[in-house]
Amino acid sequence: MSNAKKRHLTVLVVDDNASMRAALRGIVKADGHDVVGEAAEGKTALTLIRQMKPDVVLLDMMMPVMDGMAVLTEIKEAGLDTTVLVVSGNQDQALIQQAFSLGAIGYVTKPLNPGRILKTFEQIAIVRKPRDDRPADAAAESSGRRCVIVDGDAEVRGLLKTLLGGENVEVVAEAGDGMQGLVAIEEHRPDLVFLDVDMPELDGLNVLRCLRAVHPDLRVIMATSRAEGEIVKEALSQRVAGYLLKPVDAAKLIAAVRKALGKP
């Protein structure tokens, strides 16, 4: 993302360690973003989220009074409009998966990795663009037949485009990696996204997490050669409309598209 187009985010830092809050504050400010508040425990954090409405919450897991998981739960249940990036020393995989299931966009383990934090901020800045930035033609009433394909294989993209055309689904954009995909989705606001798992720059599961943070109802079909149980479980937990294995079976693709778009 070029500096000319870079969006500055408002950030709330939540950690019970004052030194850690200072370190996070420094990372955020050095990249040109605004720290609008800090909290040392969960209840204060929730109050500030409601008052300040930050774009991003940097959230620790282990805190007194109310821990990070309870904060995530309340954010999800209350429908608070913010994006949560967990920054924690706890590397328990079950905890990490639970955080993602509650809507966290990412999970960065301590000691701090500024590069990972800022890379996630770049993704958040893309998906949290104001809705007024949406092009006029995309803002018009949708026919329910507009699709963005995000896949690292040009041959697969071509095949998908051909099959979708047979269903009168317009492919409004294609992307070969996850970051390009996020940009295309925000630019065109499609009704359906085809998303691969294995891609350069940003993989499909991370793209899906970004999308769910701000577009919880966007219909996504994943098309991938990977059938590992944990990957499928993660995709299903993010409410994908379909999970297809490559090579893509035309009949299964068409059935998934019709189901996702509510077509007979």
Side-chain angles (χ1 to χ4, degrees):
M1 183 181 297
S2 67
N3 290 334
K5 295 183 178 180
K6 183 174 180 178
R7 183 184 171 209
H8 300 300
L9 300 168
T10 56
V11 183
L12 175 67
V13 178
V14 185
D15 197 295
D16 62 337
N17 185 297
S19 296
M20 184 60 63
R21 292 198 304 274
L24 289 168
R25 184 171 63 246
I27 292 169
V28 170
K29 288 187 173 181
D31 201 48
H33 304 290
D34 298 321
V35 176
V36 295
E38 298 181 21
E41 46 79 25
K43 285 190 175 180
T44 301
L46 286 170
T47 298
L48 290 175
I49 291 168
R50 289 184 169 95
Q51 291 176 348
M52 308 300 296
K53 297 179 173 58
D55 293 313
V56 185
V57 177
L58 293 177
L59 181 65
D60 188 22
M61 283 285 100
M62 310 303 292
M63 297 182 295
V65 184
M66 176 184 279
D67 65 17
M69 201 63 72
V71 173
L72 271 171
T73 300
E74 178 62 22
I75 288 172
K76 182 175 182 178
E77 291 181 351
L80 301 180
D81 183 19
T82 192
T83 301
V84 178
L85 173 60
V86 175
V87 182
S88 175
N90 193 323
Q91 300 185 35
D92 180 75
Q93 288 301 308
L95 184 75
I96 293 172
Q97 288 300 318
Q98 186 179 0
F100 281 132
S101 71
L102 289 171
I105 198 171
Y107 196 109
V108 178
T109 56
K110 299 174 183 177
L112 291 180
N113 183 330
R116 282 195 61 193
I117 292 173
L118 296 180
K119 189 68 173 178
T120 305
F121 271 39
E122 184 178 347
Q123 300 160 18
I124 294 170
I126 292 172
V127 299
R128 286 192 68 87
K129 286 195 301 184
R131 195 167 181 82
D132 289 345
D133 287 352
R134 181 177 174 180
D137 60 339
E141 184 69 24
S142 171
S143 66
R145 298 174 182 269
R146 303 172 71 255
C147 179
V148 169
I149 298 174
V150 187
D151 195 294
D153 189 324
E155 185 175 343
V156 171
R157 294 198 303 271
L159 172 62
L160 291 172
K161 188 172 183 178
T162 299
L163 293 173
L164 288 167
E167 288 297 302
N168 293 319
V169 176
E170 179 188 5
V171 176
V172 294
E174 300 177 33
D177 66 57
M179 290 297 289
Q180 292 176 1
L182 284 175
V183 172
I185 291 164
E186 286 306 303
E187 179 180 352
H188 295 281
R189 298 296 177 99
D191 304 284
L192 179 67
V193 173
F194 264 87
L195 183 62
D196 189 21
V197 171
D198 292 309
M199 293 182 294
E201 191 70 23
L202 185 69
D203 68 30
L205 288 178
N206 277 312
V207 172
L208 185 59
R209 291 166 189 149
C210 291
L211 292 176
R212 284 293 175 251
V214 290
H215 303 304
D217 298 321
L218 179 61
R219 289 162 285 194
V220 178
I221 295 175
M222 301 200 84
T224 176
S225 58
R226 301 182 65 178
E228 291 93 330
E230 287 303 312
I231 294 175
V232 176
K233 183 179 178 181
E234 166 76 3
L236 294 177
S237 75
Q238 298 289 346
R239 305 183 314 284
V240 293
Y243 194 98
L244 304 177
L245 293 179
K246 296 178 180 177
V248 175
D249 179 273
K252 291 181 179 179
L253 169 67
I254 291 170
V257 170
R258 290 178 176 175
K259 181 179 179 181
L261 297 178
K263 297 170 63 178

